[in-house]
Amino acid sequence: MPMSRVARSGRLGVRGWFYSAIGVMVVLVVFFSVIGAVLLDRASQASDTLIDRVSPVATAVADMQGDLVDEETGVRGYLLTHDPAFLQPYAAGQTAQAADARQIGNLEPAGSPVLGDLASIEQSVTAWTNTYAAPFIHSIAAGTPVGDARLAASKTAFDRLRAKFAGITADLTAQHRADQANLAHIERVRDWTFIGMLATFLATVCAVVILVRTAVLRPLNRLRQEAEAVREGSFDAPLSSTGPRDIRALGIGMEAMRSRLATAIAATERQRAILHEQKEILDSQAAELRRSNEELEQFAYVASHDLQEPLRKVSSFCQLIEKRYGELLDDRGKQYIDYAVDGAKRMQTLINDLLAFSRVGRIDDRSEPVELQSLITGVLDGLEYTVRETKATVAVPQALPTVTGNPTLLGMLLQNLIGNALKFRAPEIDIAWQPAPDHVGLAQLAVTDNGIGIAPEFAEKVFVIFKRLHGREAYAGTGIGLALCKKIAEHHGGRIWIDTTWTSGTRVLFTLPLTTDDPGPEPTPDAAKEGVAV
């Protein structure tokens, strides 16, 4: 089938093709049925003409001729024997002749040549009867003899009558043969027409099957093979979209799916290559980070031992100089020695804080259930002198939840937060807790004071290491405390932030994981908190 015809066939769907094939079959059946009906009707008409008209007319003509022979024989016997019994065949022949003539007139259509011949015969029969038969019978009945000349004339007239019958019989015989030949011809045409109809029907069925196979099944088979090739991994092989409309639509849809799949696979491969490259970079960076951490650990060791030893010597010898040569030093000299001793002490504090910051999550990484109630009690015991000195009050709930974490690190977190509040001379410190509003399984704790507060623009900066909002002359410290708190909270899977909506001091919020999904004890109202005042 040419490609142009296949392309044009794409205007129909599979259902349209099957409907078209059924329609062609129906049209052929109707067409062949009409032709068959016409041929059968013609054969039936020819057969009816032959059986119901030609043959009965020929029989009636033959019977009519026999009746005339019976009449002539009866007249001749009566002439010879003068016996009236011979007139019976004559009378019967006349009656039968009239019946045969009426039958022929009823069978033959108007204008038929047979009717013309029949009219001529009837005239001749009437003339013979009136001229010879009837006068002969009257003559015999009257006792008058019939001459030989009259008998000879009667015989001659009857022979002419027989010749007319022979002629009409020959015509009827010829017509009968012609009708038989016509009927045989019609039957042959009918048979060959039915054979042709059957052959055409079968050829049409074969053509429809071939056409449907070419226009429908072949595109489906091709699409199936191409889809199997894609399933086997040939994602770059395009899918064809030929054939009927719905098959073409299916092919276009599958091609779009294949194209998107191929694009996604190509993108995945590119992403995989990028990820592999990034993995290699990360592996290299991880190796570099491990090496750097090892160096940092080595530095921490050196800092904790080798660096602090010279500082202790500086501080010790400065104090010895002041003790031994104090009488020789003026006030400025003593002030210089105090500066040196204070600088050495601050350097030691800074080194210890840096060591603590670097060791979070590395040196002691154990995790266990921690009762915050007892932990805060221990922290407050350690800060008892500072609490007494600042005359502060620390309000602690009577029931705190149990969290999961490192008790040492969590103690450092709480000690730094409470210590900061005490350092900035906050007279009232409040500790509270509640389940985290947006995270199941986390406890949200709050350390609130009514001290100097933190401006909202510094709410993020205070957690940066070495970031100070005040000079060392106003408030002591190294600027590592809140950075250490942030690192500890994040190490435990939580976070820490400043509540910028609190304006009566400072409120620090942080989250810690509960030991179980149980939210723990109900948050304690303020009236149920116990106050600690030293």
Side-chain angles (χ1 to χ4, degrees):
M1 185 175 184
M3 291 303 294
S4 60
R5 292 181 63 187
V6 174
R8 288 196 299 270
S9 68
R11 299 174 184 174
L12 293 177
V14 175
R15 182 180 297 177
W17 270 104
F18 281 107
Y19 286 167
S20 299
I22 294 173
V24 170
M25 303 298 294
V26 169
V27 169
L28 287 175
V29 169
V30 172
F31 177 71
F32 290 154
S33 297
V34 171
I35 293 178
V38 171
L39 291 174
L40 288 175
D41 183 66
R42 290 180 59 186
S44 177
Q45 289 179 358
S47 177
D48 292 343
T49 300
L50 185 62
I51 296 173
D52 297 338
R53 185 173 65 85
V54 176
S55 293
V57 168
T59 302
V61 169
D63 292 342
M64 187 176 180
Q65 184 179 2
D67 294 336
L68 286 173
V69 172
D70 290 341
E71 290 179 31
E72 193 271 337
T73 302
V75 172
R76 187 183 295 275
Y78 183 67
L79 290 176
L80 293 175
T81 64
H82 301 282
D83 186 359
F86 282 98
L87 294 179
Q88 185 179 357
Y90 172 78
Q94 285 186 327
T95 302
Q97 175 189 340
D100 292 335
R102 287 194 301 270
Q103 183 182 4
I104 294 172
N106 294 330
L107 293 175
E108 286 291 330
S112 173
V114 175
L115 292 179
D117 294 341
L118 178 62
S120 177
I121 290 174
E122 285 181 338
Q123 290 177 0
S124 298
V125 170
T126 302
W128 176 80
T129 301
N130 293 332
T131 303
Y132 299 104
F136 287 170
I137 294 172
H138 288 299
S139 295
I140 296 301
T144 304
V146 179
D148 293 336
R150 294 288 301 263
L151 290 174
S154 174
K155 183 178 182 304
T156 301
F158 196 81
D159 290 338
R160 285 197 300 267
L161 189 58
R162 284 184 175 181
K164 287 185 177 183
F165 272 105
I168 193 174
T169 301
D171 292 339
L172 289 173
T173 302
Q175 184 178 357
H176 186 273
R177 290 176 179 174
D179 289 341
Q180 282 186 331
N182 183 41
L183 178 59
H185 173 71
I186 292 175
E187 290 178 347
R188 286 195 300 271
V189 172
R190 179 198 63 190
D191 295 340
W192 282 108
T193 301
F194 278 115
I195 293 173
M197 290 165 54
L198 180 60
T200 304
F201 186 80
L202 293 177
T204 304
V205 171
C206 294
V208 170
V209 170
I210 293 173
L211 190 63
V212 171
R213 179 180 178 83
T214 303
V216 178
L217 298 182
R218 184 177 297 175
L220 275 177
N221 187 47
R222 185 189 306 117
L223 187 61
R224 179 185 61 80
Q225 293 176 351
E226 293 172 350
E228 289 180 354
V230 173
R231 185 189 64 182
E232 295 296 331
S234 300
F235 298 104
D236 296 331
L239 298 177
S240 60
S241 56
T242 59
R245 183 176 61 251
D246 44 5
I247 296 179
R248 190 175 61 218
L250 176 62
I252 292 173
M254 293 181 65
E255 169 61 19
M257 181 177 64
R258 182 207 63 81
S259 179
R260 292 184 61 183
L261 183 61
T263 302
I265 291 175
T268 302
E269 293 294 333
R270 290 193 298 270
Q271 189 67 23
R272 182 181 298 175
I274 294 173
L275 291 177
H276 181 71
E277 182 179 356
Q278 291 178 348
K279 177 180 178 299
E280 292 181 350
I281 295 175
L282 290 176
D283 290 342
S284 175
Q285 291 177 348
E288 181 66 21
L289 186 61
R290 284 194 297 271
R291 185 187 62 79
S292 177
N293 287 337
E294 292 175 357
E295 292 178 354
L296 286 175
E297 290 179 2
Q298 184 66 26
F299 171 77
Y301 175 79
V302 172
S304 63
H305 293 82
D306 299 345
L307 290 181
Q308 292 195 44
E309 181 63 24
L311 290 175
R312 285 194 292 268
K313 287 185 178 180
V314 170
S315 177
S316 299
F317 280 104
C318 286
Q319 290 175 355
L320 288 174
I321 290 174
E322 182 181 10
K323 182 178 180 181
R324 186 169 183 175
Y325 302 103
E327 297 177 357
L328 302 176
L329 295 174
D330 57 6
D331 293 338
R332 178 166 294 183
K334 294 179 180 179
Q335 184 179 12
Y336 289 162
I337 291 176
D338 291 339
Y339 285 158
V341 173
D342 181 67
K345 290 181 178 179
R346 285 193 290 106
M347 186 66 181
Q348 284 181 325
T349 303
L350 179 61
I351 291 173
N352 291 330
D353 290 345
L354 284 173
L355 286 175
F357 184 83
S358 65
R359 288 173 176 174
V360 172
R362 292 193 304 107
I363 303 302
D364 186 6
D365 197 23
R366 58 194 173 96
S367 181
E368 60 187 48
V370 178
E371 294 182 358
L372 292 180
Q373 194 75 44
S374 59
L375 184 66
I376 290 179
T377 301
V379 170
L380 292 177
D381 290 343
L383 295 173
E384 180 180 359
Y385 176 77
T386 306
V387 171
R388 289 179 179 276
E389 183 182 7
T390 58
K391 299 179 180 180
T393 300
V394 181
V396 181
Q398 294 181 357
L400 287 171
T402 300
V403 298
T404 300
N406 187 301
T408 302
L409 295 179
L410 294 180
M412 293 173 61
L413 170 64
L414 293 171
Q415 183 174 354
N416 273 279
L417 293 178
I418 298 173
N420 273 351
L422 295 173
K423 180 173 66 176
F424 291 105
R425 303 299 176 182
E428 295 180 2
I429 302 172
D430 181 83
I431 299 174
W433 88 278
Q434 66 176 2
D438 52 352
H439 289 87
V440 178
L442 292 180
Q444 179 176 298
L445 289 96
V447 177
T448 307
D449 63 55
N450 59 348
I452 61 176
I454 298 175
E457 59 268 23
F458 299 112
E460 297 291 337
K461 295 181 180 179
V462 294
F463 293 103
V464 180
I465 191 171
F466 300 133
K467 188 67 178 180
R468 295 175 55 89
L469 302 183
H470 307 280
R472 293 187 182 90
E473 295 79 7
Y475 298 101
T478 60
I480 298 178
L482 288 179
L484 180 63
C485 292
K486 180 180 180 181
K487 191 171 183 180
I488 293 173
E490 292 178 350
H491 174 71
H492 286 80
R495 66 188 186 98
I496 187 170
W497 68 98
I498 301 296
D499 184 3
T500 56
T501 62
W502 182 262
T503 58
S504 300
T506 302
R507 171 176 286 175
V508 181
L509 302 174
F510 61 98
T511 58
L512 294 174
L514 292 166
T515 301
T516 63
D517 293 336
D518 183 8
E522 292 294 328
T524 306
D526 294 340
K529 293 180 180 178
E530 58 181 0
V532 178
V534 181

